[in-house]
Amino acid sequence: MQPAIHRPTRAIIDRQAIRNNFLHERQQLTSDKYIFAVVKANAYGHGAVAVAKVLHELQVDGFCVATLDEALELRQNGLQEPILVLGITSVQDVQLAAENDISLTAASLAWLEEAVNNLQQPLKIHLAIDSGMNRLGIRDRLEVIAATEFLLQETNLVAEGIFTHFATADEPDVTYFNSQERKFRELICDVRTTFQYVHCANSATALWHQDVTSNVIRLGISLYGLNPSGTVMKELPYSLHPALSLTSEVSYIKQLPAGQKVGYGATYTTSSDEIIATIPIGYADGWLRRLSGSKIIIDDELCPIVGRICMDQLMVSVGHMVPVGTPVVLIGTQADLSISATDVANYSKTINYEITCNLSDRIPRTYIN
Ligand SMILES: *Cc1c(COP(=O)(O)O)cnc(C)c1O
């Protein structure tokens, strides 16, 4: 998609916030720990290549992505750090990964056996262990041993890492987290080799379970300055700096008398004289219809979105007349008002991750600092 550069709607990404979040995490860790920045899904909407370049300057140890294509995008843009694809890659594509020195996740012995037939050179592998998330990974102790033996025996497979993923690291109740942690240790205790990377820490684990053994932190959401738990776990070892703001401008404004309908379905009726502003952002930009009724900032005022959000535009009720071109903040701060991605998520009953990931390619990303 062509970003709409001739429209005032922008996602502004503060690189300094990302640096701060990364360096704060770095300071928590002993020097034997690695940080792999998770830049999947276009760095949670922040722009994968731009974010990766910021972290490259800070000597990040590696990157995690979801797909082989995301990994290739980083390689094509000159990033040379280790890259791990966290999802399952088709066995047809393993040689392409090997040629580009991209590490792949193996979640079964069967996958490894098929993959090796398609390799003409060594491929780095991280074995995924399922300790209770039940998304992907080996669940059986004997299969973990067999897969490791297979890695050691095949010259085109390199045993680089072994890892698991927690389902509840962002929750106050640690029962399930502890059971997963125990399960991970049990499943890997009999393997006959030492992996360079043994890891289980996403952002939430890094923030609230610092005693867990993991020599890699797969740092995702907190890199972008968002709390993995939303508003559940308020205590943080260091403050997070949100990197993304979403801004626009008033594109049209008028005063309506009482009794006028606004938007598709004519669902909103002005109750008295009301000033209605139109803002050029809509659900095709990722500002979903379920955000109808939520507030955005215009000229130091929180203004409710009235009527249904359209594909490309939305309407708000403003307390006083402002000129066309007046700045609008949908996520971020203006004077003493602010709206966070977490506020937006809470309003629409989802998580902050989904809010930034949803911002579509039509919104240009602007980088500051
Ligand atoms: C997405 C992902 C992460 C990053 O999670 P955050 O909560 O954003 O830190 C880490 N590990 C795996 C396996 C993931 O899929």
Side-chain angles (χ1 to χ4, degrees):
M1 174 170 336
Q2 207 60 24
I5 57 173
H6 300 101
R7 181 183 74 161
T9 304
R10 292 282 179 279
I12 296 161
I13 288 99
D14 181 353
R15 284 185 281 227
Q16 193 53 38
I18 295 174
R19 288 187 200 104
N20 287 338
N21 297 325
F22 176 81
L23 292 171
H24 278 140
E25 181 55 34
R26 173 59 84 213
Q27 281 161 16
Q28 302 286 305
L29 301 173
T30 49
S31 60
D32 55 341
K33 302 272 166 94
Y34 304 94
I35 301 181
F36 276 41
V38 183
V39 295
K40 61 191 179 188
N42 203 25
Y44 298 38
H46 295 66
V49 172
V51 168
K53 286 182 172 168
V54 168
L55 297 167
H56 165 81
E57 285 166 16
L58 299 179
Q59 274 132 36
V60 71
D61 301 294
F63 297 106
C64 293
V65 293
T67 66
L68 180 57
D69 301 282
E70 291 175 344
L72 291 169
E73 185 189 21
L74 297 182
R75 283 285 179 262
Q76 281 150 13
N77 283 276
L79 292 146
Q80 292 177 353
E81 284 80 2
I83 303 176
L84 169 62
V85 178
L86 296 167
I88 305 280
T89 304
S90 162
V91 289
Q92 266 75 58
D93 296 326
V94 293
Q95 174 60 22
L96 182 59
E99 282 164 15
N100 287 278
D101 193 23
I102 292 163
S103 307
L104 296 185
T105 291
S108 67
L109 175 57
W111 185 92
L112 286 171
E113 287 169 342
E114 279 191 66
V116 81
N117 294 327
N118 296 335
L119 284 170
Q120 286 99 55
Q121 69 191 87
L123 171 69
K124 293 172 181 163
I125 295 292
H126 288 232
L127 273 189
I129 305 301
D130 186 356
S131 56
M133 171 89 174
N134 283 313
R135 183 170 64 181
L136 49 86
I138 303 175
R139 298 162 45 82
D140 175 73
R141 201 175 58 87
L142 294 178
E143 191 181 344
V144 176
I145 296 170
T148 312
E149 292 300 321
F150 191 71
L151 288 177
L152 297 178
Q153 149 208 323
E154 294 291 332
T155 45
N156 278 348
L157 295 173
V158 182
E160 188 183 44
I162 191 162
F163 74 103
T164 196
H165 191 48
F166 292 117
T168 62
D170 57 343
E171 291 180 11
D173 184 341
V174 297
T175 317
Y176 200 73
F177 179 92
N178 288 340
S179 78
Q180 276 199 269
E181 205 261 326
R182 205 174 321 116
K183 189 85 197 286
F184 182 47
R185 271 190 283 118
E186 279 165 22
L187 283 170
I188 67 173
C189 68
D190 292 322
V191 301
R192 197 172 53 83
T193 187
T194 48
F195 291 84
Q196 182 185 4
Y197 301 120
V198 181
H199 50 113
C200 61
N202 57 359
S203 298
T205 305
L207 291 168
W208 298 303
H209 302 275
Q210 293 182 6
D211 46 340
V212 160
T213 322
S214 177
N215 71 354
V216 181
I217 310 296
R218 303 188 303 262
L219 197 66
I221 194 79
S222 61
L223 197 53
Y224 310 104
L226 299 176
N227 183 321
S229 79
T231 42
V232 177
M233 306 274 285
K234 293 192 173 66
E235 303 252 320
L236 294 163
Y238 51 87
S239 61
L240 294 171
H241 299 241
L244 182 143
S245 316
L246 182 64
T247 62
S248 189
E249 289 176 10
V250 172
S251 60
Y252 196 82
I253 190 161
K254 76 259 173 196
Q255 179 158 347
L256 293 178
Q260 294 290 303
K261 307 287 190 187
V262 178
Y264 285 119
T267 57
Y268 182 80
T269 311
T270 55
S271 50
S272 57
D273 278 359
E274 218 170 302
I275 297 166
I276 301 293
T278 302
I279 316 299
I281 183 170
Y283 62 78
D285 299 293
W287 209 253
L288 303 182
R289 285 169 94 240
R290 58 183 126 93
L291 288 167
S292 269
S294 70
K295 291 178 177 160
I296 66 177
I297 307 169
I298 302 177
D299 201 26
D300 298 338
E301 188 190 322
L302 284 166
C303 307
I305 298 172
V306 295
R308 291 184 185 151
I309 294 176
C310 313
M311 188 184 292
D312 320 301
Q313 304 177 77
L314 57 81
M315 281 71 83
V316 288
S317 177
V318 191
H320 60 286
M321 197 42 112
V322 297
V324 163
T326 299
V328 173
V329 174
L330 296 106
I331 296 174
T333 301
Q334 188 186 80
D336 46 8
L337 294 176
S338 83
I339 299 171
S340 68
T342 304
D343 295 333
V344 178
N346 287 343
Y347 184 88
S348 50
K349 299 195 168 50
T350 183
I351 53 175
N352 47 28
Y353 298 68
E354 203 183 27
I355 300 302
T356 62
C357 284
N358 253 323
L359 299 178
S360 78
D361 291 347
R362 194 164 74 178
I363 302 178
R365 271 61 172 175
T366 301
Y367 295 89
I368 58 170
N369 300 325

